[in-house]
Amino acid sequence: MSAAPAARKRVVSLVPSLTEAVAVTVPGALVGATDWCTHPADLGPGVVRVGGTKNPDVPAVLALRPDLVLANEEENRAPDVAALREAGVDVLVTEVRSLEQAFAELARTLRACGAAGRVAWLDEARAAWDAVPEPDARCRAVVPVWRRPWMVLGRDTFAGDLLRRLGVANAYASHEDRYPRIGIGELGSCGAELVVLPDEPYRFTAEDGPEAFPGCAAALVDGRMLTWYGPSLTQAPAVLAAALRAARR
């Protein structure tokens, strides 16, 4: 007599990157996601929106009776995680500060959500990044993530690690803060040759951002490719490298 199939887990994701990863790997597992979970474009009518990453509707999450809630130590607030755990919910909290850590945390998360065996897109993503050649030289850059006030990538960030692998030397990689607030005067005089401007979390555009860095080449990059750890990692090295090359022509 064959064993009964394992019951499908009911998963709520409070992390857009993980929402996409679970949706494409374990279809049907997600029952809730945040308002910022934009990929895949259609999560389906069975996935309830439960507020933002910083302000989730905890009662709405609990009403979905999840077996597992996915969170991240950077994107989600500790009090919300604590409230869910106090209500008896299993919360898996990820930490992602490098590409290698992203691969490890994705594998752990997908296993917890019911993925069986190897995940094809995860293998493809690792292969894509393994194929990136060691840069001949590095371009010193500033990488803003917010404006009013200006905030930039500092130490130990996932996005900073991706850029490092693509030949970008973050001017603030040794700063004591991970996302320091730096005045535009200092940013303009730090010796950067390049400014990398993603379209999220702040939506930098050709008309909003480059003008603050006269004399610097400006690379406008897809924020999902730079900051999301999920299926986008398969395309990210090629897409980001192309944007960086275009800025420095």
Side-chain angles (χ1 to χ4, degrees):
M1 184 175 179
S2 60
R8 182 181 296 279
K9 287 191 176 182
R10 295 174 59 82
V11 178
V12 173
S13 173
L14 303 181
V15 186
S17 295
L18 298 180
T19 297
E20 182 179 19
V22 174
V24 303
T25 310
V26 194
L30 286 169
V31 295
T34 75
D35 298 338
W36 297 102
C37 295
T38 56
H39 288 76
D42 181 11
L43 285 176
V47 179
V48 176
R49 300 293 178 165
V50 294
T53 57
K54 303 296 186 188
N55 57 342
D57 184 338
V58 171
V61 173
L62 296 176
L64 293 172
R65 297 177 291 105
D67 300 303
L68 182 66
V69 173
L70 306 179
N72 175 263
E73 51 93 27
E74 181 176 282
E75 294 196 51
N76 307 115
R77 300 184 318 130
D80 295 320
V81 170
L84 290 167
R85 285 175 169 164
E86 287 167 7
V89 175
D90 185 10
V91 184
L92 187 156
V93 180
T94 57
E95 177 183 281
V96 177
R97 301 190 181 191
S98 70
L99 179 62
E100 283 303 318
Q101 197 173 26
F103 287 139
E105 289 289 62
L106 282 165
R108 179 171 77 102
T109 298
L110 294 172
R111 283 195 303 270
C113 292
R118 297 186 69 87
V119 176
W121 66 260
L122 200 50
D123 287 341
E124 292 168 11
R126 185 178 286 279
W129 280 99
D130 284 347
V132 173
E134 183 68 24
D136 294 329
R138 296 190 183 277
C139 176
R140 184 174 173 84
V142 170
V143 191
V145 293
W146 201 255
R147 184 171 188 169
R148 305 180 191 93
W150 286 97
M151 296 176 66
V152 300
L153 292 186
R155 63 172 180 84
D156 298 333
T157 66
F158 170 73
D161 188 38
L162 298 195
L163 290 172
R164 179 188 63 79
R165 293 166 184 267
L166 296 169
V168 173
N170 178 8
Y172 291 93
S174 298
H175 197 281
E176 63 181 354
D177 297 328
R178 297 183 64 224
Y179 298 97
R181 295 186 180 190
I182 309 291
I184 191 61
E186 180 180 334
L187 292 178
S189 62
C190 72
E193 311 161 61
L194 175 72
V195 56
V196 179
L197 298 165
D199 62 7
E200 63 173 86
Y202 184 92
R203 187 171 180 79
F204 288 105
T205 67
E207 292 74 37
D208 184 0
E211 81 291 341
F213 298 87
C216 258
L220 293 164
V221 302
D222 184 328
R224 176 167 162 262
M225 295 293 160
L226 182 61
T227 64
W228 287 41
Y229 34 91
S232 58
L233 284 172
T234 61
Q235 304 168 271
V239 172
L240 293 173
L244 293 171
R245 284 196 304 271
R248 300 180 66 190
R249 283 176 184 160

PDB file of all heavy atoms in Angstrom, residues 46-81:
ATOM      1  N   GLY A  46      -6.515  32.935  -5.383  1.00  0.00           N
ATOM      2  CA  GLY A  46      -6.425  32.289  -4.084  1.00  0.00           C
ATOM      3  C   GLY A  46      -5.381  32.869  -3.163  1.00  0.00           C
ATOM      4  O   GLY A  46      -5.278  32.452  -2.002  1.00  0.00           O
ATOM      5  N   VAL A  47      -4.613  33.835  -3.659  1.00  0.00           N
ATOM      6  CA  VAL A  47      -3.565  34.457  -2.845  1.00  0.00           C
ATOM      7  C   VAL A  47      -4.074  35.795  -2.319  1.00  0.00           C
ATOM      8  O   VAL A  47      -4.314  36.728  -3.082  1.00  0.00           O
ATOM      9  CB  VAL A  47      -2.266  34.652  -3.650  1.00  0.00           C
ATOM     10  CG1 VAL A  47      -1.199  35.318  -2.786  1.00  0.00           C
ATOM     11  CG2 VAL A  47      -1.753  33.311  -4.167  1.00  0.00           C
ATOM     12  N   VAL A  48      -4.229  35.891  -1.009  1.00  0.00           N
ATOM     13  CA  VAL A  48      -4.780  37.086  -0.366  1.00  0.00           C
ATOM     14  C   VAL A  48      -3.654  38.071  -0.063  1.00  0.00           C
ATOM     15  O   VAL A  48      -2.587  37.684   0.411  1.00  0.00           O
ATOM     16  CB  VAL A  48      -5.498  36.694   0.947  1.00  0.00           C
ATOM     17  CG1 VAL A  48      -5.988  37.932   1.692  1.00  0.00           C
ATOM     18  CG2 VAL A  48      -6.648  35.747   0.647  1.00  0.00           C
ATOM     19  N   ARG A  49      -3.897  39.349  -0.333  1.00  0.00           N
ATOM     20  CA  ARG A  49      -2.917  40.391  -0.016  1.00  0.00           C
ATOM     21  C   ARG A  49      -3.056  40.773   1.459  1.00  0.00           C
ATOM     22  O   ARG A  49      -4.161  41.001   1.950  1.00  0.00           O
ATOM     23  CB  ARG A  49      -3.129  41.621  -0.904  1.00  0.00           C
ATOM     24  CG  ARG A  49      -2.978  41.313  -2.401  1.00  0.00           C
ATOM     25  CD  ARG A  49      -1.553  40.932  -2.767  1.00  0.00           C
ATOM     26  NE  ARG A  49      -1.429  40.603  -4.183  1.00  0.00           N
ATOM     27  CZ  ARG A  49      -0.276  40.511  -4.831  1.00  0.00           C
ATOM     28  NH1 ARG A  49       0.868  40.704  -4.181  1.00  0.00           N
ATOM     29  NH2 ARG A  49      -0.243  40.201  -6.112  1.00  0.00           N
ATOM     30  N   VAL A  50      -1.913  40.853   2.134  1.00  0.00           N
ATOM     31  CA  VAL A  50      -1.942  41.043   3.587  1.00  0.00           C
ATOM     32  C   VAL A  50      -1.166  42.292   4.026  1.00  0.00           C
ATOM     33  O   VAL A  50      -0.611  42.338   5.118  1.00  0.00           O
ATOM     34  CB  VAL A  50      -1.385  39.796   4.306  1.00  0.00           C
ATOM     35  CG1 VAL A  50      -2.294  38.606   4.094  1.00  0.00           C
ATOM     36  CG2 VAL A  50       0.047  39.480   3.862  1.00  0.00           C
ATOM     37  N   GLY A  51      -1.147  43.327   3.174  1.00  0.00           N
ATOM     38  CA  GLY A  51      -0.477  44.570   3.544  1.00  0.00           C
ATOM     39  C   GLY A  51       0.949  44.627   3.053  1.00  0.00           C
ATOM     40  O   GLY A  51       1.354  43.873   2.172  1.00  0.00           O
ATOM     41  N   GLY A  52       1.729  45.539   3.635  1.00  0.00           N
ATOM     42  CA  GLY A  52       3.090  45.752   3.183  1.00  0.00           C
ATOM     43  C   GLY A  52       4.103  44.899   3.922  1.00  0.00           C
ATOM     44  O   GLY A  52       3.783  44.203   4.882  1.00  0.00           O
ATOM     45  N   THR A  53       5.354  45.001   3.471  1.00  0.00           N
ATOM     46  CA  THR A  53       6.412  44.250   4.143  1.00  0.00           C
ATOM     47  C   THR A  53       6.695  44.821   5.527  1.00  0.00           C
ATOM     48  O   THR A  53       7.023  44.083   6.458  1.00  0.00           O
ATOM     49  CB  THR A  53       7.702  44.284   3.304  1.00  0.00           C
ATOM     50  OG1 THR A  53       8.090  45.640   3.070  1.00  0.00           O
ATOM     51  CG2 THR A  53       7.509  43.587   1.969  1.00  0.00           C
ATOM     52  N   LYS A  54       6.586  46.146   5.653  1.00  0.00           N
ATOM     53  CA  LYS A  54       6.858  46.798   6.942  1.00  0.00           C
ATOM     54  C   LYS A  54       5.627  46.928   7.824  1.00  0.00           C
ATOM     55  O   LYS A  54       5.746  47.226   9.013  1.00  0.00           O
ATOM     56  CB  LYS A  54       7.436  48.204   6.701  1.00  0.00           C
ATOM     57  CG  LYS A  54       8.706  48.237   5.863  1.00  0.00           C
ATOM     58  CD  LYS A  54       9.864  47.526   6.535  1.00  0.00           C
ATOM     59  CE  LYS A  54      11.148  47.697   5.735  1.00  0.00           C
ATOM     60  NZ  LYS A  54      12.255  46.861   6.256  1.00  0.00           N
ATOM     61  N   ASN A  55       4.446  46.734   7.215  1.00  0.00           N
ATOM     62  CA  ASN A  55       3.223  46.879   8.009  1.00  0.00           C
ATOM     63  C   ASN A  55       2.192  45.815   7.617  1.00  0.00           C
ATOM     64  O   ASN A  55       1.081  46.132   7.205  1.00  0.00           O
ATOM     65  CB  ASN A  55       2.626  48.282   7.831  1.00  0.00           C
ATOM     66  CG  ASN A  55       2.321  48.606   6.379  1.00  0.00           C
ATOM     67  OD1 ASN A  55       2.832  47.955   5.465  1.00  0.00           O
ATOM     68  ND2 ASN A  55       1.486  49.600   6.154  1.00  0.00           N
ATOM     69  N   PRO A  56       2.555  44.536   7.756  1.00  0.00           N
ATOM     70  CA  PRO A  56       1.585  43.494   7.407  1.00  0.00           C
ATOM     71  C   PRO A  56       0.396  43.495   8.358  1.00  0.00           C
ATOM     72  O   PRO A  56       0.507  43.877   9.520  1.00  0.00           O
ATOM     73  CB  PRO A  56       2.402  42.207   7.542  1.00  0.00           C
ATOM     74  CG  PRO A  56       3.439  42.542   8.571  1.00  0.00           C
ATOM     75  CD  PRO A  56       3.796  43.975   8.316  1.00  0.00           C
ATOM     76  N   ASP A  57      -0.735  43.075   7.829  1.00  0.00           N
ATOM     77  CA  ASP A  57      -1.947  42.938   8.631  1.00  0.00           C
ATOM     78  C   ASP A  57      -1.866  41.580   9.335  1.00  0.00           C
ATOM     79  O   ASP A  57      -2.239  40.543   8.756  1.00  0.00           O
ATOM     80  CB  ASP A  57      -3.165  43.022   7.708  1.00  0.00           C
ATOM     81  CG  ASP A  57      -4.486  42.985   8.456  1.00  0.00           C
ATOM     82  OD1 ASP A  57      -4.520  42.483   9.603  1.00  0.00           O
ATOM     83  OD2 ASP A  57      -5.499  43.439   7.891  1.00  0.00           O
ATOM     84  N   VAL A  58      -1.367  41.584  10.557  1.00  0.00           N
ATOM     85  CA  VAL A  58      -1.136  40.330  11.274  1.00  0.00           C
ATOM     86  C   VAL A  58      -2.433  39.528  11.446  1.00  0.00           C
ATOM     87  O   VAL A  58      -2.442  38.310  11.213  1.00  0.00           O
ATOM     88  CB  VAL A  58      -0.438  40.595  12.626  1.00  0.00           C
ATOM     89  CG1 VAL A  58      -0.387  39.325  13.469  1.00  0.00           C
ATOM     90  CG2 VAL A  58       0.979  41.127  12.390  1.00  0.00           C
ATOM     91  N   PRO A  59      -3.557  40.145  11.847  1.00  0.00           N
ATOM     92  CA  PRO A  59      -4.801  39.361  11.939  1.00  0.00           C
ATOM     93  C   PRO A  59      -5.197  38.726  10.603  1.00  0.00           C
ATOM     94  O   PRO A  59      -5.716  37.600  10.580  1.00  0.00           O
ATOM     95  CB  PRO A  59      -5.833  40.399  12.390  1.00  0.00           C
ATOM     96  CG  PRO A  59      -5.029  41.411  13.145  1.00  0.00           C
ATOM     97  CD  PRO A  59      -3.738  41.509  12.396  1.00  0.00           C
ATOM     98  N   ALA A  60      -4.945  39.435   9.491  1.00  0.00           N
ATOM     99  CA  ALA A  60      -5.274  38.870   8.178  1.00  0.00           C
ATOM    100  C   ALA A  60      -4.396  37.660   7.876  1.00  0.00           C
ATOM    101  O   ALA A  60      -4.864  36.669   7.294  1.00  0.00           O
ATOM    102  CB  ALA A  60      -5.107  39.928   7.096  1.00  0.00           C
ATOM    103  N   VAL A  61      -3.126  37.741   8.262  1.00  0.00           N
ATOM    104  CA  VAL A  61      -2.225  36.592   8.081  1.00  0.00           C
ATOM    105  C   VAL A  61      -2.733  35.408   8.897  1.00  0.00           C
ATOM    106  O   VAL A  61      -2.832  34.276   8.398  1.00  0.00           O
ATOM    107  CB  VAL A  61      -0.783  36.951   8.491  1.00  0.00           C
ATOM    108  CG1 VAL A  61       0.099  35.704   8.459  1.00  0.00           C
ATOM    109  CG2 VAL A  61      -0.212  38.028   7.574  1.00  0.00           C
ATOM    110  N   LEU A  62      -3.073  35.654  10.152  1.00  0.00           N
ATOM    111  CA  LEU A  62      -3.538  34.568  11.021  1.00  0.00           C
ATOM    112  C   LEU A  62      -4.840  33.951  10.515  1.00  0.00           C
ATOM    113  O   LEU A  62      -5.054  32.745  10.633  1.00  0.00           O
ATOM    114  CB  LEU A  62      -3.728  35.093  12.447  1.00  0.00           C
ATOM    115  CG  LEU A  62      -2.459  35.584  13.148  1.00  0.00           C
ATOM    116  CD1 LEU A  62      -2.805  36.182  14.519  1.00  0.00           C
ATOM    117  CD2 LEU A  62      -1.452  34.457  13.300  1.00  0.00           C
ATOM    118  N   ALA A  63      -5.695  34.790   9.910  1.00  0.00           N
ATOM    119  CA  ALA A  63      -6.975  34.295   9.404  1.00  0.00           C
ATOM    120  C   ALA A  63      -6.795  33.293   8.267  1.00  0.00           C
ATOM    121  O   ALA A  63      -7.687  32.476   8.003  1.00  0.00           O
ATOM    122  CB  ALA A  63      -7.839  35.458   8.934  1.00  0.00           C
ATOM    123  N   LEU A  64      -5.641  33.333   7.612  1.00  0.00           N
ATOM    124  CA  LEU A  64      -5.366  32.408   6.515  1.00  0.00           C
ATOM    125  C   LEU A  64      -4.907  31.039   7.009  1.00  0.00           C
ATOM    126  O   LEU A  64      -4.692  30.130   6.212  1.00  0.00           O
ATOM    127  CB  LEU A  64      -4.306  33.005   5.582  1.00  0.00           C
ATOM    128  CG  LEU A  64      -4.753  34.242   4.804  1.00  0.00           C
ATOM    129  CD1 LEU A  64      -3.569  34.866   4.068  1.00  0.00           C
ATOM    130  CD2 LEU A  64      -5.854  33.881   3.811  1.00  0.00           C
ATOM    131  N   ARG A  65      -4.700  30.906   8.311  1.00  0.00           N
ATOM    132  CA  ARG A  65      -4.275  29.652   8.923  1.00  0.00           C
ATOM    133  C   ARG A  65      -3.030  29.068   8.248  1.00  0.00           C
ATOM    134  O   ARG A  65      -3.014  27.906   7.825  1.00  0.00           O
ATOM    135  CB  ARG A  65      -5.410  28.622   8.894  1.00  0.00           C
ATOM    136  CG  ARG A  65      -6.633  29.029   9.689  1.00  0.00           C
ATOM    137  CD  ARG A  65      -7.769  28.032   9.575  1.00  0.00           C
ATOM    138  NE  ARG A  65      -8.353  28.039   8.228  1.00  0.00           N
ATOM    139  CZ  ARG A  65      -8.156  27.096   7.332  1.00  0.00           C
ATOM    140  NH1 ARG A  65      -7.394  26.039   7.608  1.00  0.00           N
ATOM    141  NH2 ARG A  65      -8.734  27.166   6.144  1.00  0.00           N
ATOM    142  N   PRO A  66      -1.982  29.858   8.162  1.00  0.00           N
ATOM    143  CA  PRO A  66      -0.787  29.354   7.462  1.00  0.00           C
ATOM    144  C   PRO A  66      -0.039  28.311   8.276  1.00  0.00           C
ATOM    145  O   PRO A  66      -0.011  28.351   9.513  1.00  0.00           O
ATOM    146  CB  PRO A  66       0.058  30.626   7.301  1.00  0.00           C
ATOM    147  CG  PRO A  66      -0.316  31.478   8.474  1.00  0.00           C
ATOM    148  CD  PRO A  66      -1.794  31.222   8.687  1.00  0.00           C
ATOM    149  N   ASP A  67       0.566  27.380   7.569  1.00  0.00           N
ATOM    150  CA  ASP A  67       1.494  26.442   8.208  1.00  0.00           C
ATOM    151  C   ASP A  67       2.868  27.086   8.359  1.00  0.00           C
ATOM    152  O   ASP A  67       3.640  26.687   9.233  1.00  0.00           O
ATOM    153  CB  ASP A  67       1.638  25.176   7.355  1.00  0.00           C
ATOM    154  CG  ASP A  67       0.320  24.456   7.167  1.00  0.00           C
ATOM    155  OD1 ASP A  67      -0.304  24.107   8.185  1.00  0.00           O
ATOM    156  OD2 ASP A  67      -0.094  24.258   6.007  1.00  0.00           O
ATOM    157  N   LEU A  68       3.146  28.064   7.492  1.00  0.00           N
ATOM    158  CA  LEU A  68       4.461  28.695   7.480  1.00  0.00           C
ATOM    159  C   LEU A  68       4.339  30.112   6.952  1.00  0.00           C
ATOM    160  O   LEU A  68       3.638  30.356   5.966  1.00  0.00           O
ATOM    161  CB  LEU A  68       5.410  27.894   6.585  1.00  0.00           C
ATOM    162  CG  LEU A  68       6.858  28.373   6.473  1.00  0.00           C
ATOM    163  CD1 LEU A  68       7.575  28.235   7.820  1.00  0.00           C
ATOM    164  CD2 LEU A  68       7.592  27.596   5.393  1.00  0.00           C
ATOM    165  N   VAL A  69       5.027  31.046   7.617  1.00  0.00           N
ATOM    166  CA  VAL A  69       5.139  32.423   7.133  1.00  0.00           C
ATOM    167  C   VAL A  69       6.612  32.682   6.820  1.00  0.00           C
ATOM    168  O   VAL A  69       7.490  32.347   7.617  1.00  0.00           O
ATOM    169  CB  VAL A  69       4.626  33.442   8.169  1.00  0.00           C
ATOM    170  CG1 VAL A  69       4.920  34.870   7.718  1.00  0.00           C
ATOM    171  CG2 VAL A  69       3.124  33.259   8.388  1.00  0.00           C
ATOM    172  N   LEU A  70       6.873  33.273   5.676  1.00  0.00           N
ATOM    173  CA  LEU A  70       8.230  33.581   5.249  1.00  0.00           C
ATOM    174  C   LEU A  70       8.527  35.055   5.498  1.00  0.00           C
ATOM    175  O   LEU A  70       7.737  35.924   5.125  1.00  0.00           O
ATOM    176  CB  LEU A  70       8.405  33.281   3.759  1.00  0.00           C
ATOM    177  CG  LEU A  70       8.035  31.874   3.304  1.00  0.00           C
ATOM    178  CD1 LEU A  70       8.243  31.734   1.804  1.00  0.00           C
ATOM    179  CD2 LEU A  70       8.837  30.827   4.066  1.00  0.00           C
ATOM    180  N   ALA A  71       9.655  35.320   6.138  1.00  0.00           N
ATOM    181  CA  ALA A  71      10.051  36.690   6.454  1.00  0.00           C
ATOM    182  C   ALA A  71      11.547  36.842   6.215  1.00  0.00           C
ATOM    183  O   ALA A  71      12.263  35.872   5.959  1.00  0.00           O
ATOM    184  CB  ALA A  71       9.701  37.025   7.905  1.00  0.00           C
ATOM    185  N   ASN A  72      12.008  38.075   6.321  1.00  0.00           N
ATOM    186  CA  ASN A  72      13.429  38.378   6.140  1.00  0.00           C
ATOM    187  C   ASN A  72      13.851  39.380   7.196  1.00  0.00           C
ATOM    188  O   ASN A  72      13.106  40.316   7.508  1.00  0.00           O
ATOM    189  CB  ASN A  72      13.678  38.926   4.740  1.00  0.00           C
ATOM    190  CG  ASN A  72      15.107  39.375   4.528  1.00  0.00           C
ATOM    191  OD1 ASN A  72      15.409  40.560   4.652  1.00  0.00           O
ATOM    192  ND2 ASN A  72      16.002  38.447   4.225  1.00  0.00           N
ATOM    193  N   GLU A  73      15.044  39.188   7.751  1.00  0.00           N
ATOM    194  CA  GLU A  73      15.497  40.028   8.859  1.00  0.00           C
ATOM    195  C   GLU A  73      15.666  41.489   8.465  1.00  0.00           C
ATOM    196  O   GLU A  73      15.631  42.367   9.322  1.00  0.00           O
ATOM    197  CB  GLU A  73      16.807  39.487   9.442  1.00  0.00           C
ATOM    198  CG  GLU A  73      17.909  39.225   8.422  1.00  0.00           C
ATOM    199  CD  GLU A  73      18.848  40.385   8.220  1.00  0.00           C
ATOM    200  OE1 GLU A  73      19.009  41.188   9.164  1.00  0.00           O
ATOM    201  OE2 GLU A  73      19.410  40.485   7.123  1.00  0.00           O
ATOM    202  N   GLU A  74      15.815  41.772   7.185  1.00  0.00           N
ATOM    203  CA  GLU A  74      15.991  43.143   6.727  1.00  0.00           C
ATOM    204  C   GLU A  74      14.683  43.775   6.290  1.00  0.00           C
ATOM    205  O   GLU A  74      14.415  44.939   6.557  1.00  0.00           O
ATOM    206  CB  GLU A  74      16.984  43.154   5.563  1.00  0.00           C
ATOM    207  CG  GLU A  74      17.284  44.524   4.993  1.00  0.00           C
ATOM    208  CD  GLU A  74      18.352  44.430   3.910  1.00  0.00           C
ATOM    209  OE1 GLU A  74      19.542  44.307   4.261  1.00  0.00           O
ATOM    210  OE2 GLU A  74      17.982  44.465   2.719  1.00  0.00           O
ATOM    211  N   GLU A  75      13.839  43.001   5.618  1.00  0.00           N
ATOM    212  CA  GLU A  75      12.618  43.554   5.035  1.00  0.00           C
ATOM    213  C   GLU A  75      11.453  43.629   6.003  1.00  0.00           C
ATOM    214  O   GLU A  75      10.542  44.447   5.828  1.00  0.00           O
ATOM    215  CB  GLU A  75      12.213  42.736   3.805  1.00  0.00           C
ATOM    216  CG  GLU A  75      13.191  42.837   2.653  1.00  0.00           C
ATOM    217  CD  GLU A  75      12.583  42.363   1.352  1.00  0.00           C
ATOM    218  OE1 GLU A  75      11.480  42.836   1.003  1.00  0.00           O
ATOM    219  OE2 GLU A  75      13.213  41.520   0.690  1.00  0.00           O
ATOM    220  N   ASN A  76      11.436  42.765   6.999  1.00  0.00           N
ATOM    221  CA  ASN A  76      10.293  42.706   7.910  1.00  0.00           C
ATOM    222  C   ASN A  76      10.678  43.102   9.326  1.00  0.00           C
ATOM    223  O   ASN A  76      11.832  42.973   9.721  1.00  0.00           O
ATOM    224  CB  ASN A  76       9.701  41.298   7.900  1.00  0.00           C
ATOM    225  CG  ASN A  76       9.367  40.810   6.501  1.00  0.00           C
ATOM    226  OD1 ASN A  76       9.965  39.861   6.025  1.00  0.00           O
ATOM    227  ND2 ASN A  76       8.441  41.472   5.831  1.00  0.00           N
ATOM    228  N   ARG A  77       9.699  43.591  10.076  1.00  0.00           N
ATOM    229  CA  ARG A  77       9.964  44.100  11.428  1.00  0.00           C
ATOM    230  C   ARG A  77       9.887  42.981  12.463  1.00  0.00           C
ATOM    231  O   ARG A  77       9.004  42.122  12.406  1.00  0.00           O
ATOM    232  CB  ARG A  77       8.958  45.193  11.769  1.00  0.00           C
ATOM    233  CG  ARG A  77       8.982  46.402  10.833  1.00  0.00           C
ATOM    234  CD  ARG A  77       8.027  47.492  11.300  1.00  0.00           C
ATOM    235  NE  ARG A  77       6.759  46.944  11.761  1.00  0.00           N
ATOM    236  CZ  ARG A  77       6.185  47.262  12.921  1.00  0.00           C
ATOM    237  NH1 ARG A  77       6.755  48.133  13.731  1.00  0.00           N
ATOM    238  NH2 ARG A  77       5.015  46.735  13.261  1.00  0.00           N
ATOM    239  N   ALA A  78      10.815  43.033  13.403  1.00  0.00           N
ATOM    240  CA  ALA A  78      10.859  42.025  14.470  1.00  0.00           C
ATOM    241  C   ALA A  78       9.539  41.934  15.252  1.00  0.00           C
ATOM    242  O   ALA A  78       9.109  40.828  15.599  1.00  0.00           O
ATOM    243  CB  ALA A  78      12.026  42.305  15.412  1.00  0.00           C
ATOM    244  N   PRO A  79       8.856  43.068  15.572  1.00  0.00           N
ATOM    245  CA  PRO A  79       7.593  42.954  16.320  1.00  0.00           C
ATOM    246  C   PRO A  79       6.512  42.167  15.577  1.00  0.00           C
ATOM    247  O   PRO A  79       5.722  41.457  16.209  1.00  0.00           O
ATOM    248  CB  PRO A  79       7.166  44.416  16.522  1.00  0.00           C
ATOM    249  CG  PRO A  79       8.448  45.184  16.472  1.00  0.00           C
ATOM    250  CD  PRO A  79       9.276  44.496  15.442  1.00  0.00           C
ATOM    251  N   ASP A  80       6.485  42.277  14.255  1.00  0.00           N
ATOM    252  CA  ASP A  80       5.494  41.518  13.485  1.00  0.00           C
ATOM    253  C   ASP A  80       5.814  40.029  13.511  1.00  0.00           C
ATOM    254  O   ASP A  80       4.921  39.187  13.649  1.00  0.00           O
ATOM    255  CB  ASP A  80       5.446  42.030  12.039  1.00  0.00           C
ATOM    256  CG  ASP A  80       4.958  43.462  11.948  1.00  0.00           C
ATOM    257  OD1 ASP A  80       4.024  43.820  12.683  1.00  0.00           O
ATOM    258  OD2 ASP A  80       5.522  44.232  11.143  1.00  0.00           O
ATOM    259  N   VAL A  81       7.103  39.706  13.375  1.00  0.00           N
ATOM    260  CA  VAL A  81       7.516  38.306  13.452  1.00  0.00           C
ATOM    261  C   VAL A  81       7.174  37.743  14.833  1.00  0.00           C
ATOM    262  O   VAL A  81       6.636  36.630  14.958  1.00  0.00           O
ATOM    263  CB  VAL A  81       9.025  38.167  13.163  1.00  0.00           C
ATOM    264  CG1 VAL A  81       9.512  36.753  13.468  1.00  0.00           C
ATOM    265  CG2 VAL A  81       9.323  38.530  11.708  1.00  0.00           C
TER     266      VAL A  81
END
